[in-house]
Amino acid sequence: MEDLVDRLEELERRVAALESAQPEHAQLPWAVARLRQEFADAGKRTGGVLLAGALQLPTGERFDWQAQYPTDAIVGDVWTIEAANCLAALADPVRLRLLQEIVYGRRTAADLAAIAELGTSPEIYQHLRQLAAVGWLQTAGLGRFEVPEGRLVPLLAVLAAAQR
């Protein structure tokens, strides 16, 4: 019995040694581990943020997009009135609904005006102008609106971050 106890203690010691030898990022999600490595390779010791998406909209459109931002570029200089205005544009439920409808394929002001709860045509145009002014929307010709490709994943990330 004593031999069994000794063997078990030896195994526990060896397992503990193996576990402590694991790299720091071994327990991290794959994207975080890779991002840490990429920023370290680039000499960015403070790390950063990755926004990425591979999605298909209800309209059938596909988007594959990603961007990386070093921490110091986000924490340092983006806390501006422009950033506040950009986020404030999303704070109105009607504007969020307009963006949702546009993502789902209703792209003209006439299509949007057909949704009674969004307000009158002048009100809708005012909301569309506000969203376009901060870059959440762009015109796509012939009175059509779209979320720019480079803003779609960030928009979805903001909405995901707003979930509780």
Side-chain angles (χ1 to χ4, degrees):
M1 182 70 153
E2 204 172 299
D3 182 45
L4 182 60
V5 171
D6 290 341
R7 288 176 53 198
L8 183 57
E9 287 175 353
E10 174 64 16
L11 282 173
E12 286 176 343
R13 189 179 50 72
R14 290 173 62 188
V15 167
L18 286 171
E19 287 175 343
S20 67
Q22 292 286 331
E24 176 187 335
H25 59 79
Q27 305 301 319
L28 296 174
W30 67 268
V32 174
R34 182 167 176 190
L35 190 61
R36 274 191 182 180
Q37 186 61 51
E38 285 187 23
F39 279 113
D41 290 349
K44 304 284 185 192
R45 293 190 322 226
T46 60
V49 172
L50 169 69
L51 293 177
L55 50 111
Q56 182 174 341
L57 296 181
T59 60
E61 297 166 284
R62 293 199 55 80
F63 293 91
D64 296 312
W65 184 90
Q66 79 174 37
Q68 292 176 308
Y69 306 93
T71 302
D72 53 353
I74 297 172
V75 174
D77 297 334
V78 299
W79 305 70
T80 63
I81 190 75
E82 290 84 10
N85 289 338
C86 186
L87 293 171
L90 299 177
D92 186 283
V94 173
R95 288 194 287 273
L96 281 180
R97 176 72 188 278
L98 284 167
L99 286 167
Q100 179 185 30
E101 293 296 334
I102 290 167
V103 166
Y104 272 74
R106 290 185 139 167
R107 304 257 168 102
T108 67
D111 288 342
L112 297 167
I115 304 170
E117 61 267 19
L118 293 179
T120 65
S121 287
E123 291 169 334
I124 290 171
Y125 274 109
Q126 178 61 28
H127 287 301
L128 293 171
R129 278 192 294 276
Q130 289 173 321
L131 290 166
V134 295
W136 292 118
L137 283 181
Q138 67 185 13
T139 57
L142 302 173
R144 295 175 54 81
F145 295 88
E146 65 186 13
V147 177
E149 185 173 345
R151 294 304 293 261
L152 184 58
V153 171
L155 172 64
L156 297 178
V158 167
L159 292 170
Q163 302 301 306
R164 292 183 184 203

